[in-house]
């Protein structure tokens, strides 16, 4: 019986039926790797997912450093989305920087009964008195939606009263089925109230935005370092180490490079529709992936000098890390991994693991949609203004089902003759037959799959890290990188390889024995004395 069947057979028939649809044994020969994703979790099943508010406030808005972000809600929610994610940012002299502060209305029972708008206004007054910010965000938590406080009206009041920008985000935790709904809400409001307001012209035509890069453990800094070394101008980063001023100018860039597609595809697509900024999916996690992304960008700009410079930088960066990577590869080759992260990272990190000779046995997302698993069909299309740019870019169809892949005419004709069937994104094509994709992996399934698949390493978040380690399997966090990073780009690949080599080879695994292996931890009698 397959590992998947063995896990599923523990369930009641109702849960079996539900969870079966979220597990796929990969078979890339028959292209029938359909999975159910982005739907409600079975109540009580101990899912590792987060909420809409976490996706909006914690993930997309959290890293913006010069906005005072007031959470309208209980202090627990406020603290959670402030102190846990590792988006790094540098203070720039003479600019606002509020990331070290946790702003909260600290809602109490009386506010729930009598309404919390007054308290929210008070919080804004206080923030204005103490910090004089030029931008304030208000983020709702569950109770706000339930009692009906109008945060948008309060935001309009603050704008008139203080002449500042104040944006409200109705991202109550219960909206949608996971963090994913919150990404969408944050994206929509940034598009509506921030992007497009700037008039800073880029200095050169080689101007780019990096979308879906939150600078966890310094990843964004490594990506920017490489791009700047080649000669690109980074107009804005959404939203790692970012400022409102930079985000306002995103529409001025010539290309958006999308690192995490899941959390920001809405902005990439809206920037294209509204301002004609093309975008391409990149990935700076993994050495080969980084090289491919840099070449794709060079192809987009189609400038001989930049193309040559790209190759020079790639060669030099490889030269600097080659020996280290070879050493770590010799230690890690043949090891086996399981990855369970929120969205795109469960795919991206497989590519870095491939660079090190590590095979992925199982990968899953907390809240990925079907296209992150299966990919989305692309249609080769002749670029309408072919002479402006010789590009490969992707745009979304109104029905959101398919993407156009814009190419020069000859290329489109060639692909059509070959009956080209292309897929954009999707991790299944990068996974081996017989491995597993599991959506919304829960606590029970985590334990069971670890027992059955016996991976050498389980990449996780904080909620599942110790489930793995207590069963004697190393776990490294792919959300926070524990206390390490960056893991992106060339230098990041070496950091990552070093960290997992240290973890796997630490003698600690041989020195510990879980107490329940020798002594029962639960003793009781049934119906007895
Ligand atoms: S930094 Fe990103 S890469 S934004 Fe997203 S989907 Fe989360 S916070 Mo945790 S680590 Fe994770 Fe991704 Fe994009 Fe991070 S895999 S769950 S919402 N994520
Ligand atoms: C979130 C944020 C999170 C949580 C990480 C974890 C992050 O989804 O609310 O569970 O370890 O990366 O900080 O994904």
């Amino acid at each position: 019986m397959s590992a998947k069947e063995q896990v599923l057979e523990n369930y009641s028939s109702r849960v079996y039926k539900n969870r079966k649809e979220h597990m796929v044994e990969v078979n890339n020969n028959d292209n029938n790797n359909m999975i159910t994703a982005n739907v409600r979790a079975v109540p009580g099943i101990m899912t590792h997912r987060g909420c809409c508010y976490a996706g909006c406030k914690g993930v997309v808005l959290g890293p913006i450093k010069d906005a005072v972000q007031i959470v309208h809600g209980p202090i627990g929610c406020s603290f959670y989305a402030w102190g846990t994610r590792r988006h790094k940012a540098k203070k720039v002299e003479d600019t606002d920087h509020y990331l070290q502060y946790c702003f909260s209305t600290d809602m109490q029972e009386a506010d729930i009964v009598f309404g919390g708008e007054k308290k929210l206004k008070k919080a804004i007054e206080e923030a204005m008195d103490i910090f004089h910010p030029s931008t304030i965000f208000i983020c709702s938590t569950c109770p706000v939606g339930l009692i009906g406080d109008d945060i948008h009206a309060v935001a309009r009041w603050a704008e008139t009263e203080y002449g500042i920008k104040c944006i409200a985000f109705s991202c109550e935790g219960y909206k949608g089925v996971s963090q994913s709904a919150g990404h969408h809400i944050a994206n929509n409001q940034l598009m509506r109230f921030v992007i497009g307001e700037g008039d800073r012209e880029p200095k050169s035509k080689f101007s780019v935005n990096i979308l879906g890069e939150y600078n966890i453990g310094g990843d964004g800094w490594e990506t920017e370092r490489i791009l700047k070394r080649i000669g690109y101008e980074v107009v804005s980063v959404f939203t790692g180490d970012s400022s409102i001023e930079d985000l306002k100018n995103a529409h001025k860039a010539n290309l958006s490079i999308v690192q995490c597609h899941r959390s920001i595809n809405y902005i990439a697509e809206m920037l294209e529709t509204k301002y004609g900024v093309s975008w391409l999916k990149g990935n700076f996690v993994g050495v080969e992936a980084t090289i491919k992304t840099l070449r794709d960008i060079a192809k987009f700009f189609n400038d001989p000098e930049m193309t040559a410079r790209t190759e020079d930088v790639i060669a030099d960066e490889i030269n600097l890390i080659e020996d280290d990577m070879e050493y770590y590869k010799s230690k890690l080759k043949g090891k086996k991994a399981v990855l369970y992260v929120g969205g795109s990272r469960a795919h991206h990190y497989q590519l870095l693991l491939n660079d090190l000779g590590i095979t992925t046995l199982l990968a899953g997302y907390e809240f990925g949609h079907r296209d992150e698993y299966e990919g989305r069909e692309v249609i080769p299309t002749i670029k309408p203004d072919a002479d402006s740019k010789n590009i490969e870019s992707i745009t979304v169809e109104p029905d959101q089902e398919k993407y156009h892949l814009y190419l020069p005419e000859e290329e489109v004709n060639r692909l059509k003759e070959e009956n080209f069937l292309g897929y954009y994104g999707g991790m299944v094509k990068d996974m081996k037959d017989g491995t597993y994709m599991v959506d919304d992996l829960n606590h029970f399934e985590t334990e069971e799959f670890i027992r059955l698949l016996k991976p050498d390493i389980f990449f996780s978040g904080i909620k599942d890290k110790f489930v793995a380690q207590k069963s004697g399997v190393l776990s490294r966090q792919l959300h926070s990188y524990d206390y390490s990073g960056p893991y992106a780009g060339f230098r990041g690949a070496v950091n990552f390889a070093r960290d997992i080599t240290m973890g796997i080879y630490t003698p600690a695994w041989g020195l510990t024995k879980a107490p329940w292996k020798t002594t029962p931890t639960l003793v009781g009698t049934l119906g007895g004395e």
Side-chain angles (χ1 to χ4, degrees), residues 484-501:
S484 191
Y487 284 167
F490 298 107
R491 294 183 185 169
V494 176
N495 290 338
F496 177 81
R498 181 203 59 219
D499 286 353
I500 52 177
T501 306

Side-chain angles (χ1 to χ4, degrees), residues 180-397:
S180 182
H183 303 145
H184 205 156
I185 291 166
N187 283 203
N188 282 346
Q189 295 295 76
L190 290 178
M191 195 66 203
R192 200 161 153 210
F193 295 112
V194 179
I195 297 167
E197 288 196 355
D199 52 13
R200 199 172 65 201
E201 290 301 326
K203 291 184 200 70
S204 80
K205 64 173 179 165
F206 305 113
S207 55
V208 298
N209 300 311
I210 312 174
L211 301 186
E213 173 48 71
Y214 302 95
N215 204 27
I216 307 298
D219 276 356
W221 291 333
E222 168 66 359
T223 303
E224 273 194 66
R225 180 188 72 78
I226 299 166
L227 289 172
K228 285 182 178 161
R229 213 187 143 191
I230 294 173
Y232 295 109
E233 178 180 349
V234 179
V235 174
S236 72
V237 180
F238 279 73
T239 53
D241 194 14
S242 68
S243 68
I244 293 286
E245 206 43 49
D246 293 344
L247 305 185
K248 278 182 183 173
N249 288 292
H251 64 299
K252 295 277 180 186
N254 270 330
L255 174 71
S256 299
I257 305 156
V258 182
Q259 170 65 33
C260 167
H261 173 257
R262 179 62 274 137
S263 59
I264 208 123
N265 57 338
Y266 320 100
I267 285 184
E269 286 157 14
M270 288 186 286
L271 266 174
E272 167 141 51
T273 316
K274 194 163 169 195
Y275 299 103
V277 183
S278 303
W279 61 277
L280 39 92
K281 175 77 190 80
N283 175 23
F284 288 95
V285 174
V287 178
E288 291 303 322
T290 301
I291 294 173
K292 179 175 182 314
T293 302
L294 294 175
R295 289 189 175 144
D296 284 350
I297 301 169
K299 213 158 142 198
F300 170 87
F301 284 103
N302 196 28
D303 176 89
E305 218 171 282
M306 286 302 263
T307 307
R309 179 108 188 102
T310 302
E311 292 306 324
D312 287 350
V313 169
I314 292 172
D316 190 53
E317 294 283 338
I318 293 292
N319 193 23
L320 292 168
I321 64 166
E322 211 163 34
D323 291 351
D324 285 345
M325 286 301 276
E326 276 311 309
Y327 168 74
Y328 290 124
K329 197 168 169 179
S330 74
K331 303 298 260 178
L332 297 170
K333 202 165 184 282
K335 301 284 182 211
K336 299 191 164 43
V338 168
L339 299 95
Y340 183 60
V341 205
S344 55
R345 289 182 180 193
H347 179 195
H348 290 158
Y349 275 89
Q350 290 190 48
L351 307 181
L352 179 47
L353 292 172
N354 283 348
D355 291 341
L356 295 163
I358 301 176
T359 313
T360 299
L361 300 176
L362 181 151
Y365 302 124
E366 284 170 35
F367 49 75
H369 296 197
R370 272 182 67 188
D371 51 333
E372 269 92 51
Y373 289 101
E374 299 168 20
R376 199 180 275 196
E377 199 182 325
V378 290
I379 319 160
T381 310
I382 299 166
K383 176 77 185 151
D385 49 349
D387 45 42
S388 72
K389 276 167 212 150
N390 172 20
I391 63 158
E392 265 179 47
S393 83
I394 288 174
T395 192
V396 73
E397 283 233 311

Side-chain angles (χ1 to χ4, degrees), residues 17-24 33-40 49 365 368-370 373-374 438-440:
K17 221 168 123 216
N18 177 300
R19 290 299 302 154
K20 177 166 74 72
E21 308 294 325
H22 295 262
M23 295 184 191
V24 164
N33 295 302
M34 269 159 62
I35 195 163
T36 297
N38 189 32
V39 295
R40 188 166 168 256
R49 281 174 162 180
Y365 302 124
H369 296 197
R370 272 182 67 188
Y373 289 101
E374 299 168 20
V438 182
D439 177 64
D440 189 16

